[in-house]
Amino acid sequence: RAASQGSAQGMYNKGCAYRDGEGVEVFLTNAFYWFRVAASRGHRGGQYNTGCMLANGDGTPRDLVEARRYFEKAAAQVHTDACVAIPYVDRDIRRTLERLPAAIEAAA
């Protein structure tokens, strides 16, 4: 109800419910949607969880660059887990870029 009234915390809570199956079936696409909406309202937990879902490809296609952007937003609001996540995403981005030339060559 709070989500439908525009509360960022309510939107975040709805995302948690869909992610964790609290009172509803687990539905990661809906969880991602509500976390992203909460994030757009400046909710640091929404920003962090959007980043996690993007980094893992849960409920949305995997996008490490976009995940890092959400982690940075949450970290700017002193979300400790987001601060810890950034170096791991950077590592995964580096690994992907290192594999890119071989993937291009194999596709040619």
Side-chain angles (χ1 to χ4, degrees):
R1 182 169 146 122
S4 64
Q5 295 175 347
S7 161
Q9 184 65 44
M11 294 169 184
Y12 171 77
N13 292 344
K14 201 162 189 175
C16 290
Y18 278 114
R19 181 195 60 207
D20 302 334
E22 296 172 5
V24 294
E25 297 247 353
V26 171
F27 194 170
L28 295 180
T29 303
N30 282 0
F32 177 73
Y33 171 81
W34 286 109
F35 285 141
R36 193 179 62 200
V37 173
S40 73
R41 303 272 172 113
H43 191 282
R44 69 185 188 147
Q47 294 164 343
Y48 171 72
N49 281 285
T50 299
C52 288
M53 295 188 85
L54 284 162
N56 295 320
D58 292 334
T60 188
R62 189 171 192 223
D63 186 335
L64 295 172
V65 173
E66 192 70 3
R68 189 182 199 290
R69 191 171 75 80
Y70 279 97
F71 287 143
E72 286 174 352
K73 288 180 177 190
Q77 295 189 64
V78 196
H79 191 292
T80 308
D81 291 338
C83 296
V84 171
I86 291 172
Y88 290 101
V89 171
D90 287 346
R91 179 201 64 203
D92 290 348
I93 291 170
R94 273 194 307 279
R95 287 180 180 170
T96 300
L97 291 174
E98 288 168 359
R99 288 187 226 129
L100 192 58
I104 292 170
E105 187 174 316

